[in-house]
Structures are given as C-alpha cells and as structure tokens.
Amino acid sequence: MRLALTLSCLSLVSPALSATFSRRSAFAPGVWTLAQQGTTGVSALEMAVVSETTVLIFDKVEHNPLTVNGHVAWGSEFNLQTKQARPLNPLSNTWCASGSFLGNGTFISTGGNPVVITGQSGLQALRLFTPCTDGNCDVFEDPNRIRLTSNRWYPASVRIEDGSVIIWGGSTTGAFINSAGINNPSYEFFPPKNIHGFNGLKIPSQFMVDTLNGNHFPIVAQLPDGDIFIAANQAAMLFNWRTNTETPLPGIPNGVRISSPFSAGAVLLPLTPENNYVPEILICGGSTLSDTVDPSSISSQAPTSAQCSRMVLTTAGIAAGWKVESMPVPRIMPDLILLPDGRVLVVNGAQTGIASYDNVNDPVGHSNADHPAFTPVIYDPAAPAGSRFTSSGIPASTIPRMYHSTASLTPNGSVMLAGSNPNTDFTTTTFQTEYRVEFYSPPYLSQPRPTYTGLPATVDFGSSFKLSVSLPSGVNTVSVVAIDLGFSTHGVHMDHRSVKLVSSLSTDKKTLTVTGPPSGNHYPPGPAFIYVVTDTGVPSFGHKTIIGTGASPPVDQGAIDNLLRSTTGPQLDLQGSPTESGEGSDTATAVIPLTN
C-alpha cells in the first residue's frame, strides 16, 4: 500500500494585551461539579478526543485488565456516552509517543519505546488512526512502508499550515532525561518532504542541542504568521520551517525549567479577530532543579514552581519580554485546558518533586513526585494581573493525577481527567495505576444552552456558512469558537488551540452566519469542534468539522521512497520483555533489523 492511499483513507493588562481578548460582561453563574464515570481499561498516559462521542487512549505496555487478541491491551477507545472502553490493538509500544491530527482528520502517533508483546520496536513507529462511527476502527501500522526516520522517545509534534505534521526532538532510546549520547536533535515531517537538502529524512536542530539535558517533550505551537513557537528547558525560539531558521527568544524567567522531566503546562491563549489574532503563549509550572545532577540526589519533596510566564509573540511583545504571575500553588506536570468561554483550566500534577519514577532518593511508592494538586485553578487571561486565578467553587478531586495523567476538554464542554501511573507496571501501591475517569463540569453546563444545526462537514478558510440556532431566553449576542482539543500527555497538550471566528446573528436570532479561519496558519487544517457561545459564556455542544478541504496533506512519494531506502527500519525485540527502570531504560539485548 502506498502512503497516498493510506492517507486518503484516513502588572495591569496593557492595551496590546487586553485587545487580544473580547471581554465578556460575565461568566456563567452556578457551581462546578465533579463526577467519576467509567474506566478506561488501560491507564490513560496519552489521550485525544477523536469524535463527538469517543476518546482515543494509549498506555505503555503493562498488565492492564483490558485484553485484545489474546494479550494485554495498551490502547482503548472510550465512549463519552456509555462510559465504556473498547480495546484497540497497536502493534508497537506507544509509551511516551507524540500525537497530532493530519489535515484530513487522521490521527498519527509517533515514536515510543521498545515493545514488550508483539516484538516490534515502538521507537521508530508511526501509527495511524482514522476515527469511525461503527466501532470497528483500529490502529494501522506498517513499519516497512510507514515509519519515522530515526528512533524518537519523548518527541513533540505540531500540525502546520498544509495539514502535515512536524515531529520534533526526543531521544534515540529510553531514559529518564535526555543527554548528548542519546539526543536526537532533529525534526522531520509526516508525510515526508524533500526540503532543505534532506529528502524525506530528519533535519538537524541546533536548538535541541543547546537545550540539553532537560528538553524532552518540547512545547510547540503553530503561530498565525507561519512561524512555530518552541520552548524547551529554559529556552524558547521562533522557528521558520520553510527557511529552516531558528530565532532565539528571551529565556524562561527566574531559572525555571519547563520541559520533561521538569514538566510545565503550556497553551497558546485564544486567538481572536479583535486584535488581528495576535498570539500569546502561557507557560505554567515547572522546576528550578538542575538538569545535570544525578537524579538520586533529588528529593520527591523538592519544591516546584508556581510561575506562569506569558509573552505576546510580536516584535513589540518579544521586546517587552515575559510577564510573570504566580499560581495559587506550585505545580509540576499540570495540564492547561482552553474552555469555550475563553478561560484556562489548570488541572492535574503534583506540588513537589519531579516527573517520572524510581529515580529520586526518596520516592513515594515509585513516584518521583508527591503532594498531588487535587484542586484545579481557573485562569482568566483577560482579567487584570493579580486577579486572574481562582479556585472558588471548584471541588477538589480525591484521585491523585500524577505522572502519566491526562486531561482534555470534551465536545460537551466538560473536562475529562484520566490516567496517572508513576510506576513500572500495574500496581495498587501509593499513587496506584489509575483507570477511573472523572469529569469536571463548569457552571455553564448548569445553564440553558444554545443549540445549533447545519454545520458542514468541512469549513474552508475564509468561507461563509450558516447555522440554524436556538438561543436561550434573554440571549442577544453570541460568538463562535473553533477549538482543537489536541493531544494530551505528560502535561503537554499538542495542537490545542482556540480560534474565535467572525460571525453575525440575524435580527430574528435564528440564523448565524460564520466565516472560517483566515488561513492555515491561524488554524492548521484538521479537526475542530465548533462552539456557539453566549455573551455570558455559556457554550453549545461542540460539533465536529474539518477546517480546510478535508484533503490529505501533500504526499511526496520520492521523499517517502528515499526515507525507506535510507533508514534502518523496524527492529524485532527477540527477548520480548525488556526490563525497564527509571522510565524506560532499555536492557533488551537481542535485536535484529527486519528487511525493508
């Protein structure tokens, strides 16, 4: 099967800052609720909402209760309506892989760890999952035809303006932290491109050399001008993939490290037409611990950072530098979730220690971290500095969501929490392997909500479409936001973004005319959930569409062929059960390459 065929199936707010957001007169009144509903079957180390009713979940290979094809499962599809999990059957170990959607809506998972069950290495793996409605879809892998250029453990990924994906960084083998000996300081495209003299192959990145050691899972975000924001360790840059140019940005303030194992959460704040979609990045949490010391000298009780750093990514904003705020409590491994009402929910993580497990001198159970952050925090980016954070009215969870936990906004507007497993394998010890699912429901879910029909299957850039709307009594104005719910893992939320669309409401308040995003830089072509939001911040259900034409991203068969000729290809783990210690030390001793 050719790749083309596979894809076809597949301080006070300054005027500059405040103008970025359309200020609401109020947010929906009411109380937050928390409900525990269902189990995932596999621990949700990685999570992505793939349809209006289903969530894709990947785990590392371990002794999960869910089975498939006669062996333990490490993938599942969770139904948001029935709260049931259906096993999936990836062929390679998805442990610490990245994830993104292509422009045609197909999800890709890239990288991983040497596999335990099926005998296929996950380090060079590239997995495809095309969402379906009949409950029969599964993960597709064919490493002899579709694979990465090299081993990648802890890479990041980002969808770009043509609907393809850039896979960034990582290590060539499993380890607690990156180092010069295992660093993979490069990036590559999927589908592969013939660009910069590298025909389908990986392209070197000096940034991923300069940011050693703590640069696993770099923070990556596509910007409206076509550049890509990238941050790792204590550094940040703007990257132009068309010219292969890295432009340094001011470093993260106060010595805070922000990428794994010093994991902070990050998000591109909502993009709106009121200020011509000016981008602004927010990074919260992390650690000031050293990235060069032996981890056995670190304590699970070491303080983490409460710092939130925020910068407008324009010439003037960069010159002004980072603006620093403090969360109510420090966190490592938090997840930042964009809500339809324009606010950010900070969930999950721990208040002391560091990411991973079995490394520090005083682990709690196996965990390198302690003191779970049970209570979420709301951040209002349009409020004056000093009054942006609140946990008022938000109930605390009783389930620790530590290392290997995930979170995502759902189409209904609730926030799903899952996972947590700072352990080598399934365990019921302190900070146990967690399968229980929780849903936080913001106050807006208790209010009368708008509804709509007529969303087309695809929404092209700058195109106009009409929605038939039904609005609650007293609602006179609404807005429309397109949200990419993204891919959650290790406190990183790849591709998560919110773009407000230009819209107008008819005089009878029954028809809403909406215009698609201005370009593929503002919203890279791919899946979006469209929320109609009242002036008091109450959203409709988020129905799914594809931004763009829905076509596959560009496919260069010559680049694919050169990749397959030039790279080693998949490996077979003859031992079948490598011993792992301290998050992925690969001690398998017998590997042989398969033929291409």
Side-chain angles (χ1 to χ4, degrees), residues 228-240:
I228 297 171
F229 172 85
I230 303 178
N233 206 327
Q234 297 172 319
M237 73 162 177
L238 296 177
F239 176 65
N240 186 319

Side-chain angles (χ1 to χ4, degrees), residues 28-234:
V31 297
W32 286 76
T33 61
L34 174 63
Q36 180 186 318
Q37 297 176 306
T39 58
T40 53
V42 304
S43 191
L45 184 154
E46 301 159 18
M47 181 165 72
V49 177
V50 296
S51 77
E52 294 182 13
T53 58
T54 55
V55 181
L56 177 65
I57 292 172
F58 286 142
D59 192 6
K60 59 185 171 74
V61 176
E62 57 187 337
H63 293 90
N64 289 312
L66 202 62
T67 62
V68 61
N69 290 3
H71 61 76
V72 298
W74 59 93
S76 71
E77 185 183 63
F78 181 81
N79 190 296
L80 291 167
Q81 295 177 332
T82 66
K83 306 301 188 290
Q84 300 294 311
R86 177 177 69 91
L88 298 175
N89 190 36
L91 302 180
S92 59
N93 197 338
T94 51
W95 188 4
C96 297
S98 70
S100 287
F101 289 89
L102 298 173
N104 63 356
T106 294
F107 177 82
I108 67 166
S109 167
T110 52
N113 190 264
V115 87
V116 176
I117 300 297
T118 64
Q120 184 173 300
S121 175
L123 285 168
Q124 208 171 331
L126 202 156
R127 313 165 191 91
L128 304 180
F129 182 85
T130 300
C132 65
T133 57
D134 60 6
N136 291 320
C137 46
D138 211 332
V139 181
F140 175 85
E141 295 183 65
D142 187 348
N144 289 309
R145 293 179 175 87
I146 304 173
R147 63 173 181 260
L148 297 176
T149 62
S150 57
N151 292 354
R152 293 192 188 272
W153 159 268
Y154 279 104
S157 60
V158 62
R159 189 169 73 252
I160 59 175
E161 65 194 73
D162 65 358
S164 60
V165 170
I166 298 178
I167 301 101
W168 194 277
S171 294
T172 58
T173 191
F176 159 71
I177 194 170
N178 208 354
S179 64
I182 60 172
N183 190 26
N184 190 344
S186 68
Y187 66 95
E188 61 184 279
F189 296 88
F190 183 81
K193 295 183 186 296
N194 184 356
I195 191 171
H196 308 314
F198 296 86
N199 187 11
L201 303 180
K202 65 178 183 178
I203 304 170
S205 166
Q206 185 62 40
F207 181 80
M208 295 308 291
V209 176
D210 297 341
T211 52
L212 286 170
N213 291 322
N215 63 1
H216 279 153
F217 279 140
I219 295 163
V220 188
Q222 170 77 46
L223 303 180
D225 65 356
D227 281 353
I228 297 171
F229 172 85
I230 303 178
N233 206 327
Q234 297 172 319

Side-chain angles (χ1 to χ4, degrees), residues 30 41 44 81 90 105 130 138 152 160 172 254 256 280 293 357 397 421 445 466 513 559 576 586 589:
Q81 295 177 332
T130 300
D138 211 332
R152 293 192 188 272
I160 59 175
T172 58
N254 302 315
V256 175
E280 189 170 5
V293 300
Y357 57 80
S397 174
N421 188 24
L445 291 183
K466 295 183 184 298
T513 303
D586 176 20
T589 58

Side-chain angles (χ1 to χ4, degrees), residues 472-535:
S473 176
V475 171
N476 295 310
T477 60
V478 295
S479 58
V480 180
V481 291
I483 300 184
D484 187 328
L485 304 185
F487 169 80
S488 173
T489 187
H490 289 73
V492 183
H493 219 94
M494 301 174 198
D495 294 319
H496 189 30
R497 71 201 290 120
S498 174
V499 179
K500 183 180 177 183
L501 305 180
V502 174
S503 64
S504 62
L505 186 63
S506 62
T507 55
D508 63 3
K509 298 191 292 187
K510 294 183 178 181
T511 303
L512 192 58
T513 303
V514 188
T515 302
S519 75
N521 289 322
H522 294 79
Y523 195 108
F529 291 81
I530 305 298
Y531 299 85
V532 173
V533 189
T534 70
D535 54 4

Side-chain angles (χ1 to χ4, degrees), residues 238-250:
L238 296 177
F239 176 65
N240 186 319
W241 65 268
R242 293 190 176 277
T243 63
N244 195 30
T245 303
E246 300 181 352
T247 302
L249 291 172

